Amino acid sequence: MPADTVFDKETLFGELSIENWIMPAVYAGHFSHVIWLHPTCAQQIREGKHHFLVGKDTSTTTIRVTSTDHYFLSDGLYVTEDQLENQKPLQLDVIMVKPYTLCNSQEESDAVSSAKKPKLAREDAGHTASANCGPHSEGLEKDTVVQRRLHTGLEPSCSYSPESQECPAMVSTGEIPDILKKGVAFVLDIDLDFFSVKNPFKEMFTQEEYKILQELYQFKKPGTNLTEKDLVDCVDTRIHQLEDLEATFADLCDGDDEEMVQKWALNPGMDALVPLVQSLKKRMDVPDYEMVHQAGLTCDYSELPHHISTEQEIECLIQSVCYLLKNLPKPTLVTIARSSLDEYCLEQVDTIQEKVLDVLHSLYGTLDLHLVYSAESSPS
């Protein structure tokens, strides 16, 4: 995204989407600290605290970062500090959370070995939280965005008993920082696919096709102790790889005859293109190559999260969110992403949304609710 776009509201709204709005907000000066609470199935960014700069790349005029995490390297977003202007510092905390669901009975739960017993863990700080529920897990994603320094902590002890089955949650955590206790303004951003998430591309493509996409778009993680030049070379190679793939599928949109496919397949690392196109054309009259490219962009070095939660899992996860929010001050603003149009959280989205809103209402009272996705909605 061109960096200056963040100061042109109308153009900006046309450029933003669920996956790219945070860095523009940092560059615009709205946030300097972001906390991402993620499940075990979402491994996009390395655990721990990340300190880096967000700014305007002097050569491309786009928003770039100085983070060397694979997440940013694989997207070609890394540049050296001296190449950024209008720099904004960002602290990004990445915290793994392991929520678990209800057990069928206390006896069944007791029978689970200690290595398999459910827990809610914050492994980055050595803190753990456990829930006496069954051994089913995974499937959550949630971003918490704050304006100043903020550490997250869970300290409640409560029980959850749907259908007379107890699911007490004992939580032990690190301290809630003084700056948060003093009421620093922060924004809570909840993505409903935190509670149940589907990788839609796994339904769109066969296993073999998906495997080929992973091969074509793979990002070879660089080694350790790299120099700035090594990192720049790594990013340049990645950018050229992605540009070639984009050009390939753009050409295939205009014509996917054998000659065209063979031409692109001669490029280094592109020989798998032939069986991919052959498979797609066997299944559909006119393959959507633009969608194929979009799917490939998600196949760099880790898969998209995929865990469709059961009803009981969702119920227990709702309680986990409630436990967290009880111990945090009231946020200045709460934003909720439904993730339904892109089908990451489709069939269950309305049920999950209702449960999340019930939690927010129970904690914060009357809500000034805006259903932006509904053309017929009005503030209520």
Side-chain angles (χ1 to χ4, degrees), residues 207-225:
Q207 288 186 355
E208 185 60 30
E209 290 166 354
Y210 196 73
K211 183 178 178 181
I212 293 175
L213 285 175
Q214 290 175 316
E215 179 183 338
L216 288 172
Y217 285 82
Q218 67 174 320
F219 171 67
K220 295 180 180 179
K221 297 180 181 179
T224 57
N225 302 320

Side-chain angles (χ1 to χ4, degrees), residues 7-71:
F7 306 113
D8 181 344
K9 184 176 70 172
E10 298 305 322
T11 303
L12 176 64
F13 287 170
E15 295 284 339
L16 290 180
S17 59
I18 187 173
E19 81 280 0
N20 73 348
W21 67 273
I22 294 180
M23 290 305 164
V26 172
Y27 179 71
H30 301 305
F31 303 116
S32 61
H33 195 151
V34 174
I35 298 176
W36 179 38
L37 303 180
H38 72 96
T40 56
C41 65
Q43 301 288 342
Q44 292 96 321
I45 305 178
R46 177 173 45 85
E47 293 294 298
K49 298 183 185 299
H50 303 252
H51 296 268
F52 56 93
L53 299 173
V54 179
K56 179 180 180 178
D57 182 358
T58 55
S59 63
T60 64
T61 70
T62 54
I63 297 175
R64 292 292 185 262
V65 302
T66 59
S67 173
T68 59
D69 188 86
H70 294 151
Y71 178 83

Side-chain angles (χ1 to χ4, degrees), residues 16 19 36 73 92 240 258 317:
L16 290 180
E19 81 280 0
W36 179 38
L73 293 178
L92 170 63
H240 289 143
E258 184 176 353
L317 298 176

Side-chain angles (χ1 to χ4, degrees), residues 35 37 95 122 142-146 149-156 173-190 320-334 359-360 363-364:
I35 298 176
L37 303 180
I95 301 170
R122 284 186 52 197
K142 171 176 166 184
D143 284 331
T144 304
V145 182
V146 298
R149 294 184 178 179
L150 171 64
H151 298 278
T152 301
L154 309 174
E155 293 184 343
T173 79
E175 69 233 13
I176 297 177
D178 290 338
I179 193 168
L180 182 56
K181 293 176 182 177
K182 292 176 182 177
V184 61
F186 75 98
V187 173
L188 172 65
D189 177 58
I190 303 175
S320 297
V321 170
C322 186
Y323 299 151
L324 167 64
L325 297 182
K326 276 183 180 179
N327 287 268
L328 295 177
K330 185 177 180 180
T332 302
L333 174 70
V334 179
V359 167
L360 297 178
L363 293 174
Y364 308 134

Side-chain angles (χ1 to χ4, degrees), residues 79-218:
V79 296
T80 58
E81 183 176 341
D82 60 8
Q83 200 170 329
L84 283 185
E85 62 181 20
N86 195 20
Q87 300 172 356
K88 301 294 170 60
L90 174 64
Q91 177 173 329
L92 170 63
D93 293 344
V94 180
I95 301 170
M96 181 182 292
V97 181
K98 295 181 180 178
Y100 287 74
T101 69
L102 298 175
C103 53
N104 292 327
S105 67
Q106 187 62 45
E107 291 76 19
E108 178 180 333
S109 179
D110 292 340
V112 179
S113 69
S114 59
K116 302 272 187 183
K117 282 185 179 177
K119 62 183 178 180
L120 181 63
R122 284 186 52 197
E123 297 178 356
D124 65 307
H127 300 116
T128 62
S130 63
N132 294 333
C133 312
H136 304 288
S137 65
E138 311 170 322
L140 314 182
E141 250 185 311
K142 171 176 166 184
D143 284 331
T144 304
V145 182
V146 298
Q147 287 186 311
R148 301 191 188 99
R149 294 184 178 179
L150 171 64
H151 298 278
T152 301
L154 309 174
E155 293 184 343
S157 174
C158 29
S159 17
Y160 170 58
S161 309
E163 300 179 0
S164 301
Q165 297 182 16
E166 291 189 354
C167 184
M170 305 300 296
V171 182
S172 172
T173 79
E175 69 233 13
I176 297 177
D178 290 338
I179 193 168
L180 182 56
K181 293 176 182 177
K182 292 176 182 177
V184 61
F186 75 98
V187 173
L188 172 65
D189 177 58
I190 303 175
D191 195 327
L192 297 187
D193 67 10
F194 180 91
F195 302 92
S196 183
V197 61
K198 178 181 74 173
N199 178 353
F201 298 121
K202 287 195 170 184
E203 292 183 351
M204 205 173 295
F205 301 100
T206 67
Q207 288 186 355
E208 185 60 30
E209 290 166 354
Y210 196 73
K211 183 178 178 181
I212 293 175
L213 285 175
Q214 290 175 316
E215 179 183 338
L216 288 172
Y217 285 82
Q218 67 174 320

